[in-house]
Amino acid sequence: MIVESPPQSLSTQIISAIENVIGPGPAALHEPSFTGNEWIYLKECLDSTYVSSVGNFVDKFERELAAFTGSKYAVSMINGTSALHIALLVAGVKANDEVLVPALTFVASANAVSYCNAIPHFIDCDEATLGVDVKKLHSYLNDQTEQIRGQCVNRKSGRIIRVLMPMHTFGHPVDLDGCLELAHDFNLQLVEDAAESLGSLYNSKHTGTFGVMGIISFNGNKTITSGGGGAILTDDKNIAGIAKHMSTTAKVPHQWEYRHDAIGYNYRLPNINAALGCAQLEKLPVLLSEKRKLAKLYKKAFCQVQGATYFCEPKNCQSNYWLQAILLDNDLAHERDNILKETNEKGYMTRPAWILLNELDPYKECPSMPLDSAFSLSKRLINFPSSSYLSGFNSA
Ligand SMILES: *Cc1c(COP(=O)(O)O)cnc(C)c1O
């Protein structure tokens, strides 16, 4: 007689998939790794006494980041949020403008818009990329906007929609060709929030280099870190110059004179952070290949799990797999909190995607298109341990 064993609960299946790949744990969601020249460069930086706002490491970091991403210029800043703030200002975002921002993103995307006294206008996302749903947005804008003297005007609010800001969720590139075409058709500037996607390619070209500007974050939980840090990528020399100027108190270069020709910001990246960033950049190719290896192992392990799908990089893209993700089946969304509870109890740090920004108190009144996919995804996504070193367990 064949005795059918009772089906395993979804969280039990998920825990064994994770355990098969990374071992018994515990494991954090994403840890930095310092296995290169970090100590050497930090000591060199301290010995030089140039720890603060200027120094060789800042220049080196910007040069090497530009080279890695294939961007002509990289302008470093104190964090990704400030880089986004400056990028929006330089893109021409003014008080009372609107900026198209995904509802499913980290709050920094919308905060940077608010810092410009502009208004985020929330847009839906696509299940295939977790980012901007270009098709849906196209028909929404067709419906809701008018092109008046080369500007995209929201018919309902009367405000100018100035920028489209796609975000590459967990490192997975969005449909950038679609975004470029849409930006062109509706007179929008494209500014990419590529905070999470250092190392991610769309059609073999680095994310963050498609729009007029893109930004990267080097926060401690990102693929590589400078402690805190960010950068604007651009191919436009003039824009790079303005971004540098605005992020360094708008001081006019002079040997002794303090002349500032605008209200600038003190957003520069300290040399000591850049020193750490330089060492991390050197390790980036290794970290990226470890993360891809980890992704492959997880993908295989999650094939066995009934009720959840491992999220793979979109077509024609190479993702950095910054954060690993699974998507629960539609009818199993109610299991999410129990899965989060049981995996965390087991020592595997997991977490849900962000609460949609239009549901947060400061952003409840903002305009938005119908957000069905974003809403559904926000209830079904789960991130789990993604540090590059975890790929070592299976090869040990
Ligand atoms: C990390 C992140 C940022 C910027 O973060 P900082 O902590 O300011 O460097 C912006 N947008 C998204 C989507 C992010 O994940």
Side-chain angles (χ1 to χ4, degrees):
M1 189 177 102
I2 298 166
V3 182
E4 269 192 53
S5 55
Q8 280 192 319
S9 78
L10 185 50
S11 58
T12 308
Q13 294 180 61
I14 289 172
I15 285 170
S16 40
I18 296 175
E19 189 162 14
N20 278 338
V21 174
I22 68 170
L29 195 66
H30 201 285
E31 293 173 80
S33 94
F34 303 118
T35 57
N37 286 320
E38 286 84 2
W39 285 98
I40 294 168
Y41 291 174
L42 284 170
K43 179 167 191 319
E44 195 179 320
C45 183
L46 289 173
D47 289 343
S48 78
T49 76
Y50 282 88
V51 293
S52 196
S53 51
V54 291
N56 293 339
F57 284 112
V58 172
D59 301 336
K60 182 173 149 82
F61 185 60
E62 291 180 344
R63 238 178 9 248
E64 287 171 5
L65 180 62
F68 181 85
T69 55
S71 176
K72 284 212 179 100
Y73 305 94
V75 182
S76 60
M77 302 210 184
I78 187 68
N79 55 46
T81 311
S82 56
L84 207 47
H85 179 196
I86 296 289
L88 292 173
L89 290 175
V90 177
V93 173
K94 304 203 173 43
N96 258 323
D97 284 349
E98 292 180 11
V99 173
L100 300 169
V101 177
L104 185 71
T105 180
F106 179 52
V107 71
S109 311
N111 284 349
V113 175
S114 305
Y115 300 161
C116 303
N117 296 308
I119 295 139
H121 187 145
F122 294 114
I123 59 180
D124 203 13
C125 55
D126 177 357
E127 288 217 6
T129 66
L130 307 178
V132 184
D133 187 323
V134 173
K135 230 173 162 176
K136 258 193 225 163
L137 182 57
H138 198 283
S139 74
Y140 175 73
L141 291 177
N142 251 340
D143 237 39
Q144 303 281 326
T145 68
E146 251 167 277
Q147 305 307 308
I148 301 173
R149 273 172 263 114
Q151 293 183 320
C152 183
V153 177
N154 178 342
R155 212 179 278 139
K156 202 159 158 198
S157 66
R159 293 187 288 244
I160 296 170
I161 305 180
R162 194 81 65 177
V163 164
L164 167 62
M165 184 206 287
M167 194 281 281
H168 307 294
T169 308
F170 311 143
H172 299 297
V174 305
D175 171 9
L176 279 162
D177 282 340
C179 286
L180 280 170
E181 201 178 311
L182 189 139
H184 176 264
D185 290 352
F186 290 94
N187 295 304
L188 303 167
Q189 302 257 34
L190 187 69
V191 174
E192 293 173 71
D193 182 345
E196 305 182 353
S197 64
L198 180 63
S200 298
L201 310 178
Y202 176 87
N203 284 337
S204 307
K205 184 170 153 62
H206 200 286
T207 50
T209 66
F210 285 78
V212 61
M213 283 165 275
I215 73 98
I216 305 274
S217 166
F218 301 97
N219 190 37
N221 64 344
K222 295 295 194 319
T223 299
I224 61 168
T225 184
S226 54
I232 291 177
L233 305 179
T234 182
D235 280 342
D236 185 315
K237 186 175 185 182
N238 189 36
I239 284 177
I242 297 170
K244 190 71 170 180
H245 188 62
M246 287 304 288
S247 60
T248 53
T249 68
K251 184 177 180 299
V252 180
H254 190 280
Q255 211 175 351
W256 55 77
E257 199 175 65
Y258 280 87
R259 183 177 302 281
H260 306 263
D261 61 4
I263 300 176
Y265 297 83
N266 182 13
Y267 281 176
R268 55 190 134 204
L269 184 71
N271 201 40
I272 193 156
N273 293 87
L276 184 55
C278 285
Q280 289 270 283
L281 264 182
E282 291 172 356
K283 294 294 285 190
L284 181 56
V286 176
L287 297 175
L288 287 170
S289 84
E290 286 173 356
K291 285 175 79 67
R292 287 189 75 74
K293 192 170 140 206
L294 182 64
K296 222 166 158 183
L297 294 165
Y298 272 133
K299 183 182 174 187
K300 196 163 154 229
F302 274 103
C303 282
Q304 315 297 320
V305 176
Q306 306 281 313
T309 311
Y310 177 78
F311 195 86
C312 291
E313 62 196 357
K315 259 196 295 182
N316 304 321
C317 294
Q318 185 165 323
S319 175
N320 67 2
Y321 285 98
W322 169 53
L323 285 189
Q324 303 285 338
I326 48 168
L327 194 52
L328 303 180
D329 289 359
N330 270 310
D331 54 341
L332 294 170
H334 61 277
E335 298 255 1
R336 186 194 72 179
D337 287 358
N338 184 51
I339 294 165
L340 291 169
K341 181 171 161 285
E342 291 191 6
T343 46
N344 277 290
E345 274 170 9
K346 183 85 186 157
Y348 299 126
M349 187 174 165
T350 57
R351 95 180 171 192
W354 310 277
I355 296 173
L356 295 189
L357 297 190
N358 64 304
E359 294 174 16
L360 301 180
D361 280 343
Y363 292 117
K364 275 186 179 144
E365 309 297 324
C366 291
S368 81
M369 70 187 277
L371 299 169
D372 307 271
S373 291
F375 182 77
S376 163
L377 287 170
S378 76
K379 302 287 182 215
R380 291 155 53 217
L381 281 167
I382 295 177
N383 295 124
F384 46 94
S386 305
S387 308
S388 54
Y389 77 89
L390 293 170
S391 69
F393 176 74
N394 257 270
S395 47

